[in-house]
Amino acid sequence: DVVVTQSPLSLPVTLGQPASISCRSSQSLVYSNGNTYLSWFQQRPGQSPRRLIYKVSNRDSGVPDRFSGSGSGTDFTLKISRVEAEDVGVYYCMQGTHWPRTFGQGTKVDIK
Amino acid sequence: EVQLVESGGELVQPGGSLRLSCATSGFSFSNYDMTWVRQAPGKGLEWVSAISRDGGSTNYADSVKGRFTISRDNSKNTLYLQMNSLRAEDTALYYCARDWTGPEYWGQGTLVTVSS
């Protein structure tokens, strides 16, 4: 199975400051069609997961542009340019290239 | 509006069975691959199973392979998860989600508790 490793697992941030989460996979996530199926999800307390980013860097509709995704191959990053209070929650990356699909362990973002 | 509504979760004894359902609306169900994801209390997300749009292809996590069966009824716009030989470690909130490369829409989940 493809192992997906996130870091850090806990990320205390100051309001208005940037934040960055790393996601690394044990195998390349490039699919045979050339697409890279790496997504990022946000889970606020008590809520279902919400997809923020798909295929590495595509932001979902309604997602603030302070969220951005980047990376390639096995190394990916989610960045929040200026953290707001509503960004508190757990963030997960997920690979959708290989079977079985796998999630990272999650990164808990809270306010210092 | 896309909606996914899970049901069927309840308290069940170890070794028992349950069938979860996910009723969908607001999109053309038969055009989408579908996924089940679970979350144990206080833990992270765990991918469980997925099925192709026509039901012809299915995949499972090793932890459930041979015990769980995913299926769908495109005439009823509904996704299912048949869960047999349940174990304590299957206790979780089970979500259904649309798509299998990186699910865009998720339901609210249905809680399965396996305990004697």
Side-chain angles (χ1 to χ4, degrees):
Chain A
D1 297 1
V2 175
V3 177
V4 178
T5 303
Q6 287 183 231
S7 62
L9 299 185
S10 178
L11 185 56
V13 295
T14 301
L15 288 174
Q17 292 302 301
S20 180
I21 301 170
S22 170
C23 176
R24 290 192 166 95
S25 60
S26 60
Q27 297 179 33
S28 172
L29 299 186
V30 180
Y31 190 57
S32 55
N33 63 6
N35 288 324
T36 300
Y37 295 106
L38 187 284
S39 302
W40 289 96
F41 299 87
Q42 175 195 61
Q43 189 175 33
R44 291 172 171 151
Q47 295 188 11
S48 300
R50 169 198 184 194
R51 196 179 72 179
L52 301 175
I53 303 285
Y54 63 97
K55 289 192 286 185
V56 181
S57 60
N58 296 273
R59 203 166 37 243
D60 273 283
S61 175
V63 174
D65 60 8
R66 64 179 180 274
F67 290 92
S68 64
S70 63
S72 63
T74 62
D75 199 350
F76 307 92
T77 302
L78 176 71
K79 292 183 179 177
I80 311 173
S81 59
R82 295 173 304 280
V83 173
E84 297 189 6
E86 66 178 18
D87 300 335
V88 166
V90 182
Y91 292 77
Y92 299 90
C93 58
M94 177 199 137
Q95 67 83 14
T97 296
H98 302 281
W99 297 109
R101 309 310 198 205
T102 42
F103 287 93
Q105 315 96 302
T107 295
K108 185 174 183 179
V109 172
D110 59 12
I111 305 302
K112 280 183 185 175
Chain B
E1 179 192 6
V2 172
Q3 290 197 338
L4 300 95
V5 180
E6 303 92 337
S7 62
E10 63 181 54
L11 173 63
V12 61
Q13 291 191 341
S17 297
L18 275 180
R19 187 176 83 156
L20 305 184
S21 299
C22 172
T24 72
S25 60
F27 65 100
S28 182
F29 180 70
S30 61
N31 287 346
Y32 289 89
D33 309 312
M34 298 292 293
T35 294
W36 286 100
V37 174
R38 68 184 181 184
Q39 187 168 36
K43 302 298 184 182
L45 300 174
E46 180 187 12
W47 180 87
V48 174
S49 182
I51 187 168
S52 61
R53 56 204 68 187
D54 66 356
S57 177
T58 58
N59 288 274
Y60 299 92
D62 289 344
S63 58
V64 307
K65 200 173 293 182
R67 300 187 299 123
F68 290 10
T69 302
I70 190 172
S71 63
R72 63 192 296 158
D73 186 336
N74 286 347
S75 68
K76 295 182 178 179
N77 298 328
T78 302
L79 176 71
Y80 302 101
L81 187 67
Q82 177 67 42
M83 310 165 67
N84 298 331
S85 304
L86 283 162
R87 306 167 179 167
E89 54 264 37
D90 296 319
T91 294
L93 188 61
Y94 284 73
Y95 296 102
C96 71
R98 192 182 84 172
D99 195 9
W100 69 10
T101 56
E104 180 181 7
Y105 291 98
W106 297 63
Q108 290 303 304
T110 186
L111 182 62
V112 173
T113 303
V114 184
S115 175
S116 55

